[in-house]
Amino acid sequence: SAPAGRVAPPPLVSEFVITDGDWHRISFVRDGSHRILYVDDVEVAKDTQAGLAGSTGGLYIGAGKNLEAGSFFSGLIDDVCIYNRAVTP
């Protein structure tokens, strides 16, 4: 849950399903007003989020925020990059 006085944003959910067994490029972008999710450079989900709250917790890639059973990604994750500047998807 979010720290006292803050509201955690809802998950950004896509209806796009990948089941072909091939490698895909998944990108998440925050442009200051929106959160945007891309699959192979195609936008698959977008919402509005005005602010970005600070965080003191960890970042889990491929698992739920509390590392609960059943929240782990079943597959391979490779070449994870996090940028603190604008990049072109």
Side-chain angles (χ1 to χ4, degrees):
S1 69
R6 294 189 183 170
V7 176
L12 184 59
V13 179
S14 168
E15 298 297 322
F16 190 85
V17 177
I18 300 171
T19 59
D20 60 14
D22 292 334
W23 285 96
H24 294 274
R25 177 179 171 173
I26 310 299
S27 304
F28 173 82
V29 175
R30 183 176 180 282
D31 67 6
S33 300
H34 303 94
R35 298 183 306 168
I36 309 164
L37 183 65
Y38 295 90
V39 175
D40 296 328
D41 302 326
V42 175
E43 183 181 304
V44 296
K46 180 178 183 179
D47 70 359
T48 301
Q49 182 183 16
L52 183 62
S55 176
T56 58
L59 171 65
Y60 303 109
I61 297 175
K65 69 179 182 178
N66 295 318
L67 301 176
E68 59 275 347
S71 73
F72 292 92
F73 175 73
S74 177
L76 300 174
I77 298 175
D78 191 21
D79 295 333
V80 174
C81 299
I82 299 173
Y83 298 93
N84 64 353
R85 60 182 170 77
V87 295
T88 303

